[in-house]
Amino acid sequence: MNTSNNVLTEAVYYILLALVEPLHGYGIMQQTARLSNGRLVISAGTLYGAISTLLEKGWIQQVANITDSRRKEYVITDTGRAVLVAELDRLRELVANGEKIL
């Protein structure tokens, strides 16, 4: 799978980053806010739309939760991690080019 052609929105970038460890929806919202120092606050509607898309793309997967079947937890897949690494490389290139010019 070619992961280098995916440009992630900031919300998707932080959701994938948050899901390096399994989390449920509210935990994802809290972690993305923490990771962005409170700058990015994801609403429930945005989060669950993104989760649906990320599941379809195979970038995240649901984790089996036997203790509380109502609370769904998710975690990044190997494909999702590759997409995240490619995005990080793309962002590094953007910053490097900006630093060279400015």
Side-chain angles (χ1 to χ4, degrees):
M1 169 183 208
N2 183 359
T3 59
S4 63
N5 291 332
N6 297 298
V7 175
L8 305 182
T9 65
E10 188 174 13
V12 167
Y13 176 82
Y14 277 111
I15 290 168
L16 289 174
L17 202 56
L19 289 175
V20 170
E21 298 292 329
L23 285 173
H24 54 83
Y26 185 66
I28 297 168
M29 291 166 63
Q30 290 179 310
Q31 183 69 339
T32 56
R34 256 193 306 273
L35 290 170
S36 67
N37 295 316
R39 191 178 44 75
L40 179 65
V41 178
I42 298 175
S43 70
T46 298
L47 175 64
Y48 290 105
I51 285 174
S52 177
T53 300
L54 295 172
L55 286 167
E56 287 174 18
K57 290 183 175 192
W59 296 358
I60 66 171
Q61 65 187 11
Q62 189 173 336
V63 176
N65 188 344
I66 55 175
T67 58
D68 184 355
S69 61
R70 294 169 299 173
R71 186 174 3 193
K72 296 178 183 176
E73 288 190 336
Y74 304 93
V75 70
I76 195 168
T77 62
D78 290 340
T79 301
R81 187 178 294 270
V83 168
L84 190 56
V85 168
E87 178 67 359
L88 187 55
D89 289 343
R90 186 187 75 81
L91 293 171
R92 284 186 182 124
E93 181 182 350
L94 288 173
V95 169
N97 289 333
E99 288 175 338
K100 279 187 235 177
I101 293 171
L102 299 175

